[in-house]
Amino acid sequence: MRTRVKKLTSVILAVVMMLGILTIAPLTVSAATYGDFEYTIKDDYTVEITRYVGSDSDINIPDMIDGKKVTSIGDGAFENNKHIKNVKMTNNILSIGNGAYYNCQSLETIELSNALERIWIGSFGNCVSLKRIDLPDSLSYVDDFAFGNCESLETVNFPDELSGDEFNGLAKSVFENCINLTSIKLPNNLKRISYQTFSGCKKIQKITIPQSVTSIINEAFYNCTNLENIIIPKSVSYIAPDAFRQCKKLTISGYLGTVAETYAKENGFKFIALDVSEPTSVSLNKTSLTLDVGKSYTLTKTVSPSNAATSYTWRSSNTSVATVDSNGKVTAKKAGTATITVKTSNGKTATCKVTVNLPTPQITGLANTTGGIKISWNKVDGAYGYRLYYKPASVCNRRFKDTTATSFTDSGVVPNKTETYTIRCIDKNGNTVSGFNSKGWSKKYTPVAPIISKLDNTSGGIKLSWNKVTGVYGYRLYYKTSSGGWKRFKDTTATSFTDSGVSPNRTETYTIRCIDKNGNTISGFNSTGWSKKYTPAAPTISKLDITTGGIKLSWNKIAGVYGYRLYYKTSSGGWKRFKDTTATSFTDSGVSPNRTETYTIRCIDKNGNTVSGFYSRGWSKKYTPVAPTITRLSNTSKGVSVTWNEIAGVYGYRLYRKYDGGSWTKVKDTTSTSFTDSGAKKGKKVTYTVRCIDRKGKTVSGFNSKGWSITRK
């Protein structure tokens, strides 16, 4: 019979391919890609996944693509994919197409959409690794061979009822050859069990047919070789002659005078008549139950009348919170609530509300730190996060922090005040899911001594840096005197300070403690302190400016030094000292036009000893003389007297004149800074300008093109 199954499968797959070709094209208006997904936009402007081309093992179907809802998985979209192991769908998915996941032989789990309506032909056929299917109550149709040949499938859970107005039945071969299927709960509105629906399901031992079923079709349970008991209700009016062929261990339970009794007798099956007395009610020993995660409890059912013949089904409204087995054993899984329902074969029910709590977290450590009081607690499995509370002076515990970590430092503390804390678990929505210790855990906050983390030599002196200590107003700095005692020298609210009262090559030792706003010390201090030898930093020439007097050098002030020594670089490449000064600028007049000068600088003490390094590359500037400025024009008996400023480093000057509408003409080359022009025309406006020249008469500066004017008298 194995050959027959394969032939049927081939026929079904051929139908899948044909239907796919016939139905997809009219529905789509465009095609595109989204990551590893190929998709189309349907006429209703929703998206259908048409193909997956990736190789990931875990697949999350996207909720939206291109701003549109993804509502369906198309025909053959994931067919023959060898990589996929786990699939999760969003709740937008309404339909899974023909052969959508056919022959995905590595597929182990799939989380279906809670809005899913239709599963078409062979959607999960030949998914040989799939072990469990939980079908949503939105489902209205399951087509032929939907889960056929799922050889590892063990459990199938239908909801109590499917949403279709009349769920006519399970289509052909839906679970054909699911050889490891042991547990299946059928929906209460099922009307028909179709051709070979459970054919070849060799591990099923017991099944209850819902009271809504009216017919069991040909070979529905063919070759279910371990099926031992089936309960058939009065509603069944037709059972095909070969519905239970090769079910050699089968006992049929049913009611006298029904089709079930007739079928059993005609086909040689043992028949057990159910008492005509049906349950009038069922109850549980608990209507509410509280469990911690991981704990179990077995509910006890009581039926009335006590001799009523019935079977029972158990169901949890939220299996992620609590599960229940066929014996009523409830197992807590995660924090939340779930309703456990027991139901008799004639529809009588009883419920128990189960509340699952996480264990109360325990604070394991309270420590004074620079950031405040550090609170540590144990990790609670199943908790999304934790909510911390502190106890104010006059009220109950007050919430102050939600976190997913297992420690937190409370910075809102006050020196010498005792803080009390407690904690409980929360879920991802911020709901509390555990109890808490009402007494809490307490700790007095005593600020720790600050730690000087850095001592840096800077141009301003030794820069001290230290850590911030929570809750304090400020800090008091001390230095160690020559006698070995500590001397206070600075109160500050900052976390750094530069000590300018240093001396070159002397070692300074510092310590620090916390103070309040009244200047009272509120922490200890490090009695050893932290030490640093002050070595003045090499000065930095910050500016080289061309002036009339030459090149002006400017540099930064260095704390603790007497003065500075300037050097220029000689033509041989060595440094030559040329100026000692206590200032922070100097103008070098010993320059030459168009020659590049290079300078460096170092610190000296009052005895002229160098006490710092220097920048070996130096700083360079090409000296280009500035244009002279005519400072005075006056009429004399001998002509126009012209005076201008002296420019450093130049040999001399060239004087020019022009008249209105005319051009510049050379008047005189001179080494002086003045000249009387006797050639100027009387009664005329005459304009002068001047530029620098070298000893060869070559101009080495610019000139003022507007010049300076006077009327010759």
Side-chain angles (χ1 to χ4, degrees):
M1 294 308 298
R2 186 74 172 177
T3 301
R4 189 168 182 264
V5 171
K6 289 183 178 179
K7 288 181 179 179
L8 177 60
T9 302
S10 298
V11 172
I12 292 171
L13 290 177
V15 173
V16 169
M17 298 303 294
M18 181 179 70
L19 290 176
I21 294 170
L22 293 175
T23 59
I24 292 178
L27 295 175
T28 60
V29 295
S30 58
T33 60
Y34 178 80
D36 291 330
F37 298 99
E38 296 178 3
Y39 69 94
T40 59
I41 301 175
K42 301 191 292 184
D43 288 344
D44 62 356
Y45 293 100
T46 64
V47 171
E48 178 173 277
I49 302 294
T50 59
R51 194 71 182 166
Y52 176 73
V53 297
S55 59
D56 291 341
S57 60
D58 296 328
I59 305 296
N60 290 321
I61 305 298
D63 190 49
M64 306 281 286
I65 294 179
D66 194 27
K68 301 173 180 63
K69 290 184 178 180
V70 180
T71 61
S72 59
I73 309 297
D75 295 352
F78 294 85
E79 182 181 1
N80 294 322
N81 190 297
K82 298 180 180 180
H83 305 284
I84 300 175
K85 290 186 177 182
N86 306 290
V87 175
K88 184 176 181 180
M89 296 182 183
T90 72
N91 289 331
N92 286 338
I93 300 297
L94 304 178
S95 173
I96 301 175
N98 299 319
Y101 292 91
Y102 180 78
N103 204 38
C104 292
Q105 296 195 4
S106 298
L107 181 61
E108 296 178 359
T109 67
I110 182 156
E111 186 176 329
L112 298 173
S113 164
N114 288 331
L116 184 64
E117 297 176 355
R118 292 179 174 266
I119 300 176
W120 292 100
I121 297 174
S123 294
F124 297 95
N126 215 39
C127 292
V128 296
S129 298
L130 188 63
K131 292 184 177 183
R132 179 186 176 102
I133 288 290
D134 294 299
L135 299 166
D137 58 12
S138 58
L139 199 62
S140 62
Y141 188 69
V142 182
D143 212 336
D144 297 349
F145 202 68
F147 299 97
N149 282 355
C150 290
E151 296 180 351
S152 297
L153 188 62
E154 298 176 353
T155 302
V156 178
N157 286 320
F158 280 91
D160 286 345
E161 292 190 0
L162 295 168
S163 63
D165 294 335
E166 184 175 293
F167 188 75
N168 288 325
L170 295 172
K172 299 176 184 178
S173 302
V174 172
F175 299 105
E176 180 188 359
N177 207 35
C178 293
I179 59 176
N180 279 291
L181 184 62
T182 58
S183 175
I184 185 164
K185 182 176 78 67
L186 299 174
N188 290 332
N189 58 345
L190 179 66
K191 299 296 182 182
R192 183 182 69 257
I193 299 177
S194 298
Y195 175 73
Q196 289 197 341
T197 297
F198 295 101
S199 174
C201 296
K202 295 182 178 183
K203 285 193 177 182
I204 292 180
Q205 293 183 323
K206 181 179 179 180
I207 193 165
T208 298
I209 306 298
Q211 296 190 45
S212 55
V213 174
T214 61
S215 59
I216 303 174
I217 309 304
N218 302 71
E219 298 186 356
F221 294 91
Y222 170 70
N223 207 30
C224 293
T225 54
N226 282 294
L227 182 60
E228 295 178 353
N229 183 266
I230 187 166
I231 298 174
I232 301 177
K234 295 177 181 178
S235 59
V236 176
S237 60
Y238 174 75
I239 303 175
D242 57 357
F244 296 96
R245 189 154 63 92
Q246 296 298 322
C247 298
K248 297 179 180 182
K249 298 180 180 180
L250 179 62
T251 295
I252 296 174
S253 297
Y255 296 91
L256 297 172
T258 64
V259 168
E261 181 188 17
T262 302
Y263 178 86
K265 290 179 179 179
E266 291 179 352
N267 290 276
F269 293 109
K270 182 180 178 181
F271 179 77
I272 297 177
L274 302 174
D275 290 341
V276 294
S277 178
E278 292 186 335
T280 58
S281 67
V282 66
S283 62
L284 294 171
N285 63 316
K286 289 183 178 291
T287 57
S288 64
L289 177 66
T290 300
L291 294 173
D292 287 340
V293 171
K295 301 296 184 181
S296 297
Y297 180 85
T298 300
L299 294 169
T300 302
K301 61 184 181 298
T302 301
V303 68
S304 182
S306 60
N307 65 340
T310 187
S311 61
Y312 301 91
T313 56
W314 294 85
R315 179 177 179 270
S316 170
S317 65
N318 192 340
T319 55
S320 65
V321 172
T323 60
V324 62
D325 66 12
S326 59
N327 297 315
K329 182 180 179 181
V330 180
T331 302
K333 296 295 186 181
K334 75 172 186 179
T337 60
T339 299
I340 303 299
T341 302
V342 63
K343 189 174 185 179
T344 65
S345 57
N346 67 335
K348 305 299 180 181
T349 61
T351 61
C352 175
K353 182 180 179 181
V354 178
T355 301
V356 178
N357 285 332
L358 296 178
T360 299
Q362 304 293 310
I363 291 178
T364 57
L366 292 171
N368 284 319
T369 70
T370 56
I373 295 178
K374 182 179 180 180
I375 312 161
S376 303
W377 57 91
N378 64 300
K379 179 180 173 66
V380 177
D381 291 338
Y384 174 78
Y386 308 90
R387 180 163 293 157
L388 289 167
Y389 301 81
Y390 72 94
K391 185 174 285 186
S394 59
V395 297
C396 297
N397 291 323
R398 180 173 292 171
R399 163 186 172 183
F400 76 99
K401 181 64 180 181
D402 288 359
T403 178
T404 57
T406 55
S407 66
F408 178 76
T409 300
D410 179 17
S411 61
V413 291
V414 177
N416 300 316
K417 179 183 173 185
T418 296
E419 302 287 350
T420 300
Y421 305 96
T422 194
I423 188 171
R424 65 197 310 180
C425 299
I426 58 173
D427 62 20
K428 63 182 179 181
N429 298 315
N431 302 309
T432 55
V433 289
S434 79
F436 65 97
N437 184 318
S438 59
K439 291 184 178 179
W441 292 263
S442 299
K443 182 73 172 180
K444 182 179 180 180
Y445 178 58
T446 303
V448 298
I451 295 172
I452 295 178
S453 55
K454 290 180 71 178
L455 291 170
D456 294 320
N457 281 318
T458 71
S459 59
I462 296 178
K463 182 180 179 181
L464 296 76
S465 302
W466 57 91
N467 60 302
K468 183 179 180 181
V469 179
T470 294
V472 306
Y473 175 76
Y475 310 91
R476 180 162 292 157
L477 294 170
Y478 302 82
Y479 71 88
K480 187 168 284 188
T481 65
S482 57
S483 62
W486 292 108
K487 187 173 179 63
R488 164 185 171 183
F489 74 99
K490 182 65 179 179
D491 287 357
T492 178
T493 58
T495 56
S496 66
F497 179 75
T498 300
D499 179 18
S500 61
V502 291
S503 297
N505 299 315
R506 191 177 75 189
T507 297
E508 302 286 351
T509 301
Y510 304 95
T511 196
I512 186 171
R513 65 196 310 180
C514 301
I515 57 173
D516 62 20
K517 61 183 177 181
N518 298 316
N520 301 310
T521 56
I522 54 176
S523 79
F525 65 98
N526 184 315
S527 60
T528 302
W530 292 265
S531 298
K532 184 75 173 181
K533 182 179 180 179
Y534 178 58
T535 303
T540 299
I541 296 178
S542 55
K543 292 178 72 176
L544 290 170
D545 294 320
I546 294 175
T547 70
T548 58
I551 297 177
K552 182 180 179 182
L553 296 76
S554 301
W555 57 91
N556 61 311
K557 184 178 180 179
I558 305 297
V561 304
Y562 175 75
Y564 309 92
R565 181 162 291 158
L566 294 170
Y567 301 82
Y568 70 88
K569 186 168 283 188
T570 65
S571 57
S572 61
W575 291 109
K576 186 173 180 64
R577 165 186 169 184
F578 74 99
K579 182 66 178 178
D580 288 357
T581 179
T582 57
T584 56
S585 66
F586 179 76
T587 300
D588 179 18
S589 61
V591 291
S592 298
N594 298 317
R595 190 177 74 190
T596 297
E597 301 287 349
T598 302
Y599 303 95
T600 195
I601 188 170
R602 65 196 308 179
C603 300
I604 58 173
D605 63 18
K606 62 183 177 181
N607 297 315
N609 301 312
T610 56
V611 291
S612 78
F614 65 98
Y615 181 49
S616 60
R617 294 178 63 181
W619 292 266
S620 300
K621 187 74 173 181
K622 183 178 180 180
Y623 179 60
T624 304
V626 298
T629 299
I630 293 176
T631 57
R632 187 180 178 190
L633 288 172
S634 63
N635 283 295
T636 71
S637 59
K638 293 182 179 181
V640 177
S641 177
V642 186
T643 303
W644 57 91
N645 61 312
E646 184 178 7
I647 305 297
V650 303
Y651 174 75
Y653 309 92
R654 182 165 290 160
L655 182 65
Y656 299 83
R657 96 162 75 88
K658 72 175 180 177
Y659 300 100
D660 286 350
S663 58
W664 294 109
T665 59
K666 173 182 171 181
V667 177
K668 180 71 175 176
D669 286 354
T670 178
T671 57
S672 178
T673 56
S674 66
F675 180 77
T676 300
D677 180 17
S678 61
K681 297 178 180 178
K682 292 184 178 181
K684 295 285 188 180
K685 179 183 176 182
V686 61
T687 302
Y688 296 93
T689 193
V690 64
R691 66 196 306 181
C692 302
I693 59 173
D694 62 18
R695 62 180 60 251
K696 294 180 180 180
K698 184 179 179 181
T699 56
V700 290
S701 78
F703 65 97
N704 186 314
S705 60
K706 291 184 178 180
W708 291 264
S709 300
I710 192 171
T711 300
R712 171 77 164 99
K713 293 182 179 180

